Amino acid sequence: QQDVDRWFDVYFSRVDDNGRFVAIVFSDISDRKRRERQQAFLLTFSDTLRTLADEKAIEETGVRMLAEFLRLDRAYIFVLYPSEDRAVVRAEQRKENLASLLGEVRMSDFPETVRQIENQTLVINDIDSDARLSDLNRTSLDAVNLQAFVCASVRKGEQNVIWSLAASTTVPRTWTKAELELIETVAERMWAAVERAKAEKALREAELQRVREQSA
């Protein structure tokens, strides 16, 4: 069943001539089903992003699709500017009862563990039991309803600007290997789509400027 994230092939066969006894054989096909669902999602995801030409639309659509597929409480995009000590949350999908994180904060205000997103994918299954976090870290994360989360980052630009995708829930969650791989793949594809949209916009603006100069 999809509701419990488990799938089985079930086979029934009679073991006597009267049919009073039946043998039932279960075969767990959950891993295969999860892979198939994720591949189908990624195909739809990539096809959808290709139809979007606007950077904002790509980010907002991407976090919405990921949140719906993984049943997240919140998914959001934030961009880190280490040299300027700031982080900007600029696209977000969240449950209605959660406060928005959109806006700008100082990177130095991040818990030390969270700042590891500069170099690696950060995975926390439960802030209450994660030994890497201090009591102050837990308090600050709990204040924004982050109980379990994954942050996947893509480094870009000459000044080490970091584009990041975060997935979170308000309750503990043991993230599976397949889920982590999916989040990282989605991050890479969204970033690539954003870069493509920015490049195409720059070309359009350059062409428009050329036409204006020729008409002057």
Side-chain angles (χ1 to χ4, degrees), residues 35-67:
R35 288 194 300 272
E36 290 174 354
R37 288 184 64 236
Q38 291 196 176
Q39 286 303 315
F41 168 77
L42 287 173
L43 286 172
T44 301
F45 184 81
S46 296
D47 288 344
T48 301
L49 294 192
R50 277 193 288 270
T51 68
L52 304 174
D54 176 73
E55 180 179 354
K56 182 178 180 181
I58 290 169
E59 293 182 342
E60 291 180 345
T61 300
V63 293
R64 175 183 57 79
M65 292 182 68
L66 180 67

mmCIF file of all heavy atoms in Angstrom, residues 35-67:
data_model
loop_
_atom_site.group_PDB
_atom_site.id
_atom_site.type_symbol
_atom_site.label_atom_id
_atom_site.label_comp_id
_atom_site.label_asym_id
_atom_site.label_seq_id
_atom_site.Cartn_x
_atom_site.Cartn_y
_atom_site.Cartn_z
ATOM 1 N N ARG A 35 11.524 3.272 -6.234
ATOM 2 C CA ARG A 35 12.382 3.725 -7.333
ATOM 3 C C ARG A 35 11.544 4.129 -8.542
ATOM 4 O O ARG A 35 11.832 5.137 -9.199
ATOM 5 C CB ARG A 35 13.377 2.626 -7.711
ATOM 6 C CG ARG A 35 14.484 2.398 -6.680
ATOM 7 C CD ARG A 35 15.600 1.564 -7.277
ATOM 8 N NE ARG A 35 15.154 0.259 -7.717
ATOM 9 C CZ ARG A 35 15.113 -0.821 -6.945
ATOM 10 N NH1 ARG A 35 15.513 -0.742 -5.682
ATOM 11 N NH2 ARG A 35 14.713 -1.984 -7.436
ATOM 12 N N GLU A 36 10.531 3.336 -8.848
ATOM 13 C CA GLU A 36 9.676 3.643 -9.992
ATOM 14 C C GLU A 36 8.936 4.960 -9.782
ATOM 15 O O GLU A 36 8.834 5.781 -10.693
ATOM 16 C CB GLU A 36 8.675 2.505 -10.215
ATOM 17 C CG GLU A 36 9.315 1.217 -10.723
ATOM 18 C CD GLU A 36 8.323 0.072 -10.783
ATOM 19 O OE1 GLU A 36 7.165 0.258 -10.314
ATOM 20 O OE2 GLU A 36 8.690 -1.005 -11.280
ATOM 21 N N ARG A 37 8.413 5.173 -8.575
ATOM 22 C CA ARG A 37 7.692 6.410 -8.279
ATOM 23 C C ARG A 37 8.624 7.613 -8.367
ATOM 24 O O ARG A 37 8.244 8.666 -8.883
ATOM 25 C CB ARG A 37 7.069 6.341 -6.888
ATOM 26 C CG ARG A 37 5.870 5.417 -6.763
ATOM 27 C CD ARG A 37 5.261 5.491 -5.368
ATOM 28 N NE ARG A 37 4.734 6.820 -5.111
ATOM 29 C CZ ARG A 37 5.085 7.585 -4.080
ATOM 30 N NH1 ARG A 37 6.009 7.160 -3.219
ATOM 31 N NH2 ARG A 37 4.546 8.774 -3.888
ATOM 32 N N GLN A 38 9.838 7.457 -7.838
ATOM 33 C CA GLN A 38 10.773 8.574 -7.878
ATOM 34 C C GLN A 38 11.209 8.899 -9.300
ATOM 35 O O GLN A 38 11.332 10.080 -9.659
ATOM 36 C CB GLN A 38 11.984 8.291 -6.988
ATOM 37 C CG GLN A 38 11.641 8.296 -5.512
ATOM 38 C CD GLN A 38 12.857 8.398 -4.611
ATOM 39 O OE1 GLN A 38 12.739 8.485 -3.397
ATOM 40 N NE2 GLN A 38 14.039 8.393 -5.172
ATOM 41 N N GLN A 39 11.438 7.884 -10.111
ATOM 42 C CA GLN A 39 11.816 8.128 -11.493
ATOM 43 C C GLN A 39 10.680 8.809 -12.254
ATOM 44 O O GLN A 39 10.911 9.728 -13.056
ATOM 45 C CB GLN A 39 12.198 6.812 -12.185
ATOM 46 C CG GLN A 39 13.546 6.267 -11.747
ATOM 47 C CD GLN A 39 14.680 7.259 -11.982
ATOM 48 O OE1 GLN A 39 14.778 7.878 -13.048
ATOM 49 N NE2 GLN A 39 15.520 7.446 -10.977
ATOM 50 N N ALA A 40 9.460 8.383 -11.980
ATOM 51 C CA ALA A 40 8.306 9.009 -12.625
ATOM 52 C C ALA A 40 8.185 10.465 -12.186
ATOM 53 O O ALA A 40 7.894 11.357 -13.000
ATOM 54 C CB ALA A 40 7.028 8.243 -12.289
ATOM 55 N N PHE A 41 8.411 10.713 -10.909
ATOM 56 C CA PHE A 41 8.353 12.086 -10.395
ATOM 57 C C PHE A 41 9.417 12.952 -11.050
ATOM 58 O O PHE A 41 9.141 14.080 -11.469
ATOM 59 C CB PHE A 41 8.536 12.087 -8.885
ATOM 60 C CG PHE A 41 8.775 13.469 -8.318
ATOM 61 C CD1 PHE A 41 7.728 14.353 -8.161
ATOM 62 C CD2 PHE A 41 10.053 13.880 -7.970
ATOM 63 C CE1 PHE A 41 7.945 15.639 -7.665
ATOM 64 C CE2 PHE A 41 10.291 15.148 -7.467
ATOM 65 C CZ PHE A 41 9.223 16.034 -7.317
ATOM 66 N N LEU A 42 10.640 12.436 -11.142
ATOM 67 C CA LEU A 42 11.730 13.227 -11.713
ATOM 68 C C LEU A 42 11.480 13.549 -13.186
ATOM 69 O O LEU A 42 11.825 14.638 -13.658
ATOM 70 C CB LEU A 42 13.063 12.494 -11.543
ATOM 71 C CG LEU A 42 13.626 12.480 -10.116
ATOM 72 C CD1 LEU A 42 14.847 11.579 -10.038
ATOM 73 C CD2 LEU A 42 13.985 13.892 -9.662
ATOM 74 N N LEU A 43 10.888 12.618 -13.917
ATOM 75 C CA LEU A 43 10.550 12.881 -15.315
ATOM 76 C C LEU A 43 9.539 14.017 -15.418
ATOM 77 O O LEU A 43 9.692 14.954 -16.207
ATOM 78 C CB LEU A 43 10.005 11.625 -15.984
ATOM 79 C CG LEU A 43 11.023 10.539 -16.328
ATOM 80 C CD1 LEU A 43 10.318 9.278 -16.815
ATOM 81 C CD2 LEU A 43 12.002 11.038 -17.395
ATOM 82 N N THR A 44 8.481 13.928 -14.596
ATOM 83 C CA THR A 44 7.463 14.983 -14.588
ATOM 84 C C THR A 44 8.058 16.302 -14.119
ATOM 85 O O THR A 44 7.762 17.372 -14.670
ATOM 86 C CB THR A 44 6.294 14.591 -13.671
ATOM 87 O OG1 THR A 44 5.723 13.369 -14.133
ATOM 88 C CG2 THR A 44 5.216 15.664 -13.649
ATOM 89 N N PHE A 45 8.908 16.218 -13.110
ATOM 90 C CA PHE A 45 9.551 17.411 -12.551
ATOM 91 C C PHE A 45 10.382 18.133 -13.608
ATOM 92 O O PHE A 45 10.240 19.343 -13.817
ATOM 93 C CB PHE A 45 10.437 16.979 -11.377
ATOM 94 C CG PHE A 45 11.095 18.108 -10.638
ATOM 95 C CD1 PHE A 45 10.396 18.825 -9.677
ATOM 96 C CD2 PHE A 45 12.414 18.442 -10.881
ATOM 97 C CE1 PHE A 45 11.001 19.866 -8.991
ATOM 98 C CE2 PHE A 45 13.028 19.476 -10.203
ATOM 99 C CZ PHE A 45 12.314 20.194 -9.243
ATOM 100 N N SER A 46 11.229 17.389 -14.291
ATOM 101 C CA SER A 46 12.085 17.984 -15.316
ATOM 102 C C SER A 46 11.269 18.541 -16.473
ATOM 103 O O SER A 46 11.559 19.629 -16.988
ATOM 104 C CB SER A 46 13.087 16.950 -15.832
ATOM 105 O OG SER A 46 13.973 16.551 -14.805
ATOM 106 N N ASP A 47 10.231 17.808 -16.886
ATOM 107 C CA ASP A 47 9.378 18.284 -17.972
ATOM 108 C C ASP A 47 8.687 19.595 -17.588
ATOM 109 O O ASP A 47 8.544 20.501 -18.411
ATOM 110 C CB ASP A 47 8.323 17.232 -18.327
ATOM 111 C CG ASP A 47 8.909 16.033 -19.047
ATOM 112 O OD1 ASP A 47 10.049 16.137 -19.544
ATOM 113 O OD2 ASP A 47 8.234 14.989 -19.103
ATOM 114 N N THR A 48 8.258 19.681 -16.331
ATOM 115 C CA THR A 48 7.584 20.899 -15.857
ATOM 116 C C THR A 48 8.536 22.082 -15.833
ATOM 117 O O THR A 48 8.193 23.183 -16.281
ATOM 118 C CB THR A 48 6.993 20.670 -14.454
ATOM 119 O OG1 THR A 48 6.063 19.586 -14.487
ATOM 120 C CG2 THR A 48 6.277 21.927 -13.958
ATOM 121 N N LEU A 49 9.742 21.860 -15.324
ATOM 122 C CA LEU A 49 10.703 22.962 -15.245
ATOM 123 C C LEU A 49 11.054 23.495 -16.629
ATOM 124 O O LEU A 49 11.289 24.695 -16.790
ATOM 125 C CB LEU A 49 11.981 22.516 -14.531
ATOM 126 C CG LEU A 49 11.871 22.160 -13.047
ATOM 127 C CD1 LEU A 49 13.264 22.025 -12.433
ATOM 128 C CD2 LEU A 49 11.061 23.181 -12.273
ATOM 129 N N ARG A 50 11.088 22.616 -17.634
ATOM 130 C CA ARG A 50 11.435 23.051 -18.986
ATOM 131 C C ARG A 50 10.394 23.997 -19.575
ATOM 132 O O ARG A 50 10.695 24.747 -20.510
ATOM 133 C CB ARG A 50 11.627 21.837 -19.905
ATOM 134 C CG ARG A 50 13.007 21.217 -19.812
ATOM 135 C CD ARG A 50 13.246 20.246 -20.955
ATOM 136 N NE ARG A 50 12.481 19.036 -20.796
ATOM 137 C CZ ARG A 50 12.913 17.951 -20.145
ATOM 138 N NH1 ARG A 50 14.120 17.961 -19.592
ATOM 139 N NH2 ARG A 50 12.162 16.879 -20.043
ATOM 140 N N THR A 51 9.179 23.967 -19.034
ATOM 141 C CA THR A 51 8.126 24.846 -19.558
ATOM 142 C C THR A 51 8.180 26.231 -18.921
ATOM 143 O O THR A 51 7.429 27.124 -19.336
ATOM 144 C CB THR A 51 6.732 24.244 -19.286
ATOM 145 O OG1 THR A 51 6.461 24.247 -17.871
ATOM 146 C CG2 THR A 51 6.642 22.826 -19.824
ATOM 147 N N LEU A 52 9.035 26.423 -17.935
ATOM 148 C CA LEU A 52 9.073 27.683 -17.186
ATOM 149 C C LEU A 52 10.279 28.510 -17.604
ATOM 150 O O LEU A 52 11.393 28.012 -17.669
ATOM 151 C CB LEU A 52 9.128 27.395 -15.676
ATOM 152 C CG LEU A 52 7.982 26.526 -15.134
ATOM 153 C CD1 LEU A 52 8.232 26.181 -13.674
ATOM 154 C CD2 LEU A 52 6.645 27.234 -15.294
ATOM 155 N N ALA A 53 10.049 29.784 -17.852
ATOM 156 C CA ALA A 53 11.125 30.659 -18.304
ATOM 157 C C ALA A 53 11.541 31.674 -17.256
ATOM 158 O O ALA A 53 12.480 32.438 -17.464
ATOM 159 C CB ALA A 53 10.699 31.391 -19.582
ATOM 160 N N ASP A 54 10.853 31.686 -16.124
ATOM 161 C CA ASP A 54 11.101 32.682 -15.090
ATOM 162 C C ASP A 54 11.749 32.031 -13.872
ATOM 163 O O ASP A 54 11.310 30.980 -13.395
ATOM 164 C CB ASP A 54 9.781 33.341 -14.687
ATOM 165 C CG ASP A 54 9.945 34.323 -13.546
ATOM 166 O OD1 ASP A 54 10.509 35.416 -13.788
ATOM 167 O OD2 ASP A 54 9.553 33.994 -12.411
ATOM 168 N N GLU A 55 12.810 32.652 -13.365
ATOM 169 C CA GLU A 55 13.560 32.110 -12.232
ATOM 170 C C GLU A 55 12.665 31.894 -11.013
ATOM 171 O O GLU A 55 12.710 30.852 -10.358
ATOM 172 C CB GLU A 55 14.694 33.071 -11.878
ATOM 173 C CG GLU A 55 15.558 32.645 -10.714
ATOM 174 C CD GLU A 55 16.673 33.641 -10.451
ATOM 175 O OE1 GLU A 55 16.837 34.593 -11.238
ATOM 176 O OE2 GLU A 55 17.384 33.457 -9.454
ATOM 177 N N LYS A 56 11.833 32.862 -10.709
ATOM 178 C CA LYS A 56 10.951 32.749 -9.546
ATOM 179 C C LYS A 56 9.953 31.616 -9.714
ATOM 180 O O LYS A 56 9.702 30.844 -8.777
ATOM 181 C CB LYS A 56 10.210 34.069 -9.327
ATOM 182 C CG LYS A 56 9.293 34.072 -8.110
ATOM 183 C CD LYS A 56 8.615 35.427 -7.918
ATOM 184 C CE LYS A 56 7.706 35.412 -6.692
ATOM 185 N NZ LYS A 56 7.015 36.713 -6.506
ATOM 186 N N ALA A 57 9.381 31.498 -10.906
ATOM 187 C CA ALA A 57 8.410 30.436 -11.163
ATOM 188 C C ALA A 57 9.047 29.056 -11.020
ATOM 189 O O ALA A 57 8.430 28.120 -10.512
ATOM 190 C CB ALA A 57 7.808 30.607 -12.554
ATOM 191 N N ILE A 58 10.292 28.922 -11.472
ATOM 192 C CA ILE A 58 11.005 27.650 -11.356
ATOM 193 C C ILE A 58 11.176 27.263 -9.892
ATOM 194 O O ILE A 58 10.896 26.131 -9.489
ATOM 195 C CB ILE A 58 12.372 27.731 -12.054
ATOM 196 C CG1 ILE A 58 12.181 27.805 -13.571
ATOM 197 C CG2 ILE A 58 13.252 26.528 -11.686
ATOM 198 C CD1 ILE A 58 13.449 28.149 -14.331
ATOM 199 N N GLU A 59 11.633 28.199 -9.082
ATOM 200 C CA GLU A 59 11.868 27.907 -7.668
ATOM 201 C C GLU A 59 10.564 27.615 -6.928
ATOM 202 O O GLU A 59 10.488 26.663 -6.133
ATOM 203 C CB GLU A 59 12.618 29.067 -7.020
ATOM 204 C CG GLU A 59 14.034 29.218 -7.550
ATOM 205 C CD GLU A 59 14.808 30.339 -6.889
ATOM 206 O OE1 GLU A 59 14.179 31.235 -6.272
ATOM 207 O OE2 GLU A 59 16.047 30.318 -6.982
ATOM 208 N N GLU A 60 9.534 28.402 -7.167
ATOM 209 C CA GLU A 60 8.265 28.204 -6.465
ATOM 210 C C GLU A 60 7.590 26.901 -6.889
ATOM 211 O O GLU A 60 7.045 26.181 -6.052
ATOM 212 C CB GLU A 60 7.338 29.392 -6.711
ATOM 213 C CG GLU A 60 7.826 30.673 -6.032
ATOM 214 C CD GLU A 60 6.906 31.852 -6.276
ATOM 215 O OE1 GLU A 60 6.048 31.756 -7.187
ATOM 216 O OE2 GLU A 60 7.056 32.871 -5.561
ATOM 217 N N THR A 61 7.651 26.593 -8.170
ATOM 218 C CA THR A 61 7.062 25.343 -8.653
ATOM 219 C C THR A 61 7.843 24.143 -8.139
ATOM 220 O O THR A 61 7.262 23.127 -7.734
ATOM 221 C CB THR A 61 7.039 25.322 -10.194
ATOM 222 O OG1 THR A 61 6.256 26.417 -10.666
ATOM 223 C CG2 THR A 61 6.444 24.016 -10.713
ATOM 224 N N GLY A 62 9.169 24.262 -8.129
ATOM 225 C CA GLY A 62 10.008 23.161 -7.675
ATOM 226 C C GLY A 62 9.771 22.793 -6.224
ATOM 227 O O GLY A 62 9.631 21.602 -5.885
ATOM 228 N N VAL A 63 9.718 23.782 -5.331
ATOM 229 C CA VAL A 63 9.515 23.466 -3.908
ATOM 230 C C VAL A 63 8.108 22.932 -3.673
ATOM 231 O O VAL A 63 7.901 22.068 -2.815
ATOM 232 C CB VAL A 63 9.811 24.677 -3.001
ATOM 233 C CG1 VAL A 63 11.289 25.025 -3.036
ATOM 234 C CG2 VAL A 63 8.958 25.893 -3.360
ATOM 235 N N ARG A 64 7.139 23.417 -4.447
ATOM 236 C CA ARG A 64 5.772 22.906 -4.296
ATOM 237 C C ARG A 64 5.700 21.433 -4.685
ATOM 238 O O ARG A 64 5.128 20.611 -3.949
ATOM 239 C CB ARG A 64 4.795 23.720 -5.133
ATOM 240 C CG ARG A 64 3.366 23.167 -5.104
ATOM 241 C CD ARG A 64 2.436 23.955 -5.997
ATOM 242 N NE ARG A 64 2.886 24.005 -7.378
ATOM 243 C CZ ARG A 64 2.729 23.013 -8.247
ATOM 244 N NH1 ARG A 64 2.179 21.860 -7.868
ATOM 245 N NH2 ARG A 64 3.165 23.134 -9.496
ATOM 246 N N MET A 65 6.295 21.086 -5.819
ATOM 247 C CA MET A 65 6.247 19.700 -6.281
ATOM 248 C C MET A 65 6.970 18.764 -5.322
ATOM 249 O O MET A 65 6.499 17.660 -5.022
ATOM 250 C CB MET A 65 6.842 19.597 -7.683
ATOM 251 C CG MET A 65 6.011 20.274 -8.757
ATOM 252 S SD MET A 65 6.710 20.091 -10.438
ATOM 253 C CE MET A 65 6.466 18.311 -10.704
ATOM 254 N N LEU A 66 8.140 19.205 -4.823
ATOM 255 C CA LEU A 66 8.886 18.362 -3.891
ATOM 256 C C LEU A 66 8.116 18.169 -2.597
ATOM 257 O O LEU A 66 8.044 17.051 -2.067
ATOM 258 C CB LEU A 66 10.252 18.987 -3.599
ATOM 259 C CG LEU A 66 11.131 18.193 -2.636
ATOM 260 C CD1 LEU A 66 11.561 16.867 -3.266
ATOM 261 C CD2 LEU A 66 12.358 19.004 -2.225
ATOM 262 N N ALA A 67 7.533 19.250 -2.072
ATOM 263 C CA ALA A 67 6.790 19.155 -0.815
ATOM 264 C C ALA A 67 5.605 18.209 -0.940
ATOM 265 O O ALA A 67 5.323 17.419 -0.031
ATOM 266 C CB ALA A 67 6.318 20.544 -0.382
#
